Amino acid sequence: MSVQAHTVPPTRDSSNGTSERLRNYVGGEWIEPAGGEELDVRNPATDQILARVPLSSAEDVDRAVTAAAAAFPAWRATPVLTRARALFALREKLDANREELAQLVTLDMGKTLDDARGEVRRGIESVEAACAISGELKGEVLEQVAGGVDVEMVRQPLGVVAAITPFNFPAMIPLWFLPYAIATGNCFVLKPSERDPLTARRICELVGEIEAIPAGVVNLVNGAHEAVDSLLTHPLVDAVSFVGQTTTARYVASRATEAGKRVQALGGAKNAFVLMPDAEPDAMVAGVLSSAFGAAGQRCLAGSVAIVVGDDAEQEATLARLVAGAEGLQVGAGADPATDVCPLVSPEARIRVEGMVAGALDRGAGLVLDGRREGGEAGAEMGPTIVEPADPADELLREEIFGPVLAIRRAPDLDAAIEIANSSRFGNAAMIFTSSGASMRAFRFGIEAGMLGVNVGVAAPIAWFPFAGWKDSFVGDLHANGRDAFAFYTRAKVVTSRWPSPAPATAGAAS
Ligand code: NAD
């Protein structure tokens, strides 16, 4: 069965649309990096070159980190309410420019405009959550732990903190870190994905317009591996926040930890849906399809394994509904309002994903729905694809695909489904569709994942809650966002005080 919904083939345009070479944002100035190499930044829908991104060197990273370190003493001494108000200003600035930011996300990363709008809104919510700094940063005091002795704990910023971010959320993920990092009094260096750096550039331009955020508090270094390695080993970097593939997360975490830095590293995913036969069918189909195929499956919260639960007839009915829904999805450019499934980030990404599907078919998988375009000229688009691997240990069921591919497993009952879901080495998210509270409770109790959805396809916690997975989806302790973010970007200082009085002790206090 092949997807019929594809409309007009994408217009390929490999022309050099602009010769602009991006700059780094260092100490409040946009400066030319010393690193001479550069990459093209392309529009995934048309392949047009949008800009050239420089691959910053260790020297470029050093400039940014040094600027951040120089800004730190004054910024950490800035009253907490003043820093909170700077965050209010950032919130207003981003909100006033949210449509432009969303359009940049679509242009540069490829997702649909609606999806990009949602991403920008989520990013702004992280700023709103970070505005709560004055309440969240309050310490603790315990009076009279011994005669005349009190103990207090204050939380202080770390210094210079860096964030290394992936291509799939070029607005939201930088904003998971920037607001909390600076609200808590740190200075920040962002290394965005080299594949779609235009949104981060615009965010930093907007930061630069806010008087209440002094030069050097926020810095941006473009680049790839060399820039990352330099951040991981720079002696003035105190903490690293990372989001990307699990192999990169492990590498980043081990190098940064070895260099004595605090790390949180959010990795890849292989998220399962548990589809119970009592699920409300329309909500289930809508939830599964938007999760598996929205953003062309390029989300860490995308469901990519559907565990269809029930007897044979129930399993077939669920599968038939999913296939019928997927066949109706429109594949096309993110900027086209009719599009459901956007292009992958690049033609190379599509070829990689199609290769994984072909591998599973060679190993005996059943092809339920084929959205492959195949061939080098087909651009970055790929339609929804549903595959039922023959072997439960097949790569398509085990490894992250990061494309519009849904793999099918079958289970007789909920316990078996939970066991299948938990056999994954990843533990980012898991979703159940059911109308039974008892099934939901058993799922919540038993499933090994950090973020769960109940009749929700994309279980993204709002910014006031921690965001991260378990198992191979995360390395570290404190998650992104929420209270974990305030804790990650600060360290505790505990003061034990005694105030001896030369006068005879007054009754009560010193007795
Ligand atoms: P990636 O790991 O390729 O890149 C992420 C960042 O690391 C980029 O800035 C890149 O320049 C840098 N990098 C990549 N390889 C490196 C290396 N060998 N040495 C040093 N730096 C390196 O990830 P990606 O493809 O941009 O993003 C997609 C991945 O991110 C998926 O695996 C997805 O699941 C994951 N992701 C996870 C979450 C989460 O919350 N867990 C959220 C979004 C994305």
Side-chain angles (χ1 to χ4, degrees):
M1 200 179 310
S2 68
V3 172
Q4 302 300 320
H6 187 70
T7 49
V8 193
T11 316
R12 316 307 310 157
D13 177 1
S14 295
S15 64
N16 189 346
T18 167
S19 59
E20 184 189 12
R21 180 176 150 96
L22 302 179
R23 295 172 170 222
N24 291 345
Y25 186 57
V26 175
E29 305 286 335
W30 289 94
I31 64 169
E32 189 66 43
E37 282 182 70
E38 58 189 31
L39 297 173
D40 292 336
V41 178
R42 290 172 186 267
N43 177 342
T46 63
D47 213 31
Q48 188 187 37
I49 297 171
L50 302 169
R52 291 172 295 129
V53 62
L55 300 184
S56 295
S57 62
E59 184 188 334
D60 299 314
V61 168
D62 180 57
R63 279 200 215 168
V65 172
T66 304
F72 177 61
W75 184 240
R76 73 161 288 215
T78 301
V80 66
L81 289 181
T82 307
R83 292 203 307 262
R85 288 184 193 120
L87 268 285
F88 296 167
L90 176 61
R91 191 256 170 227
E92 292 305 300
K93 184 65 88 177
L94 293 171
D95 194 53
N97 291 278
R98 64 180 192 277
E99 183 60 21
E100 184 200 348
L101 288 168
Q103 288 187 2
L104 267 178
V105 169
T106 296
L107 181 76
D108 204 5
M109 183 273 169
K111 67 179 64 173
T112 66
L113 202 45
D114 263 0
D115 205 8
R117 288 183 182 122
E119 163 172 0
V120 171
R121 196 187 65 242
R122 288 286 189 149
I124 292 172
E125 284 173 6
S126 289
V127 183
E128 291 168 350
C131 287
I133 183 68
S134 327
E136 293 294 339
L137 214 60
K138 283 190 293 194
E140 298 169 359
V141 183
L142 189 59
E143 194 182 41
Q144 196 70 351
V145 297
V149 178
D150 305 327
V151 179
E152 63 190 312
M153 188 272 288
V154 291
R155 298 207 69 93
Q156 298 190 338
L158 305 175
V160 177
V161 299
I164 298 155
T165 55
F167 80 85
N168 64 331
F169 284 94
M172 182 184 79
I173 294 185
L175 291 172
W176 277 355
F177 305 115
L178 185 158
Y180 299 98
I182 69 170
T184 44
N186 299 282
C187 292
F188 182 73
V189 180
L190 172 65
K191 204 301 285 173
S193 171
E194 65 278 21
R195 290 198 256 179
D196 53 4
L198 297 182
T199 314
R201 188 260 297 261
R202 186 68 189 128
I203 289 171
C204 286
E205 282 175 355
L206 295 171
V207 166
E209 291 172 15
I210 299 170
E211 236 174 88
I213 303 179
V217 171
V218 172
N219 305 275
L220 177 149
V221 178
N222 285 297
H225 302 187
E226 187 181 349
V228 171
D229 285 341
S230 309
L231 283 168
L232 300 180
T233 50
H234 197 293
L236 292 180
V237 171
D238 296 288
V240 175
S241 300
F242 171 86
V243 183
Q245 299 179 42
T246 288
T247 42
T248 328
R250 289 196 168 276
Y251 169 76
V252 164
S254 67
R255 276 209 88 170
T257 307
E258 199 183 342
K261 303 178 195 319
R262 186 178 289 194
V263 188
Q264 52 181 185
L266 287 73
K270 189 76 190 173
N271 307 313
F273 301 104
V274 172
L275 305 179
M276 299 300 289
D278 63 3
E280 198 290 307
D282 293 343
M284 178 196 72
V285 170
V288 170
L289 297 185
S290 74
S291 176
F293 304 124
Q298 300 168 112
R299 292 187 188 125
C300 68
L301 292 176
S304 58
V305 177
I307 306 170
V308 184
V309 182
D311 60 27
D312 288 355
E314 288 166 332
Q315 291 174 358
E316 288 306 325
T318 299
L319 211 45
R321 284 194 180 99
L322 291 181
V323 173
E327 282 176 325
L329 296 176
Q330 191 83 9
V331 184
D336 180 346
T339 294
D340 299 302
V341 183
C342 69
L344 286 146
V345 69
S346 64
E348 296 73 36
R350 176 192 53 81
I351 291 163
R352 178 187 58 76
V353 172
E354 289 185 351
M356 290 182 80
V357 172
L361 298 180
D362 288 347
R363 293 186 293 273
L367 185 58
V368 184
L369 182 69
D370 189 2
R372 291 172 298 163
R373 299 285 179 263
E374 302 186 85
E377 290 305 304
E381 289 183 6
M382 178 174 173
T385 299
I386 302 179
V387 179
E388 186 165 0
D391 178 358
D394 194 273
E395 177 193 58
L396 217 63
L397 289 161
R398 299 271 152 214
E399 296 305 321
E400 184 172 42
I401 301 171
F402 232 52
V405 179
L406 183 64
I408 303 295
R409 288 283 321 259
R410 296 171 193 248
D413 54 36
L414 178 60
D415 287 348
I418 291 174
E419 201 179 314
I420 291 171
N422 286 348
S423 68
S424 173
R425 69 186 174 97
F426 297 104
N428 212 41
M431 291 71 67
I432 188 169
F433 284 83
T434 182
S435 54
S436 156
S439 296
M440 177 274 173
R441 287 196 79 248
F443 175 80
R444 185 179 66 192
F445 186 78
I447 210 87
E448 295 166 0
M451 295 173 280
L452 305 189
V454 178
N455 299 317
V456 168
V458 181
I462 60 165
W464 290 261
F465 288 85
F467 193 119
W470 291 9
K471 296 160 80 174
D472 276 3
S473 295
F474 181 64
V475 189
D477 176 10
L478 295 163
H479 292 187
N481 266 316
R483 292 219 162 109
D484 277 25
F486 293 107
F488 182 78
Y489 288 124
T490 56
R491 52 190 164 184
K493 187 180 271 179
V494 179
V495 185
T496 305
S497 322
R498 169 183 281 139
W499 296 93
S501 166
T506 51
S511 57

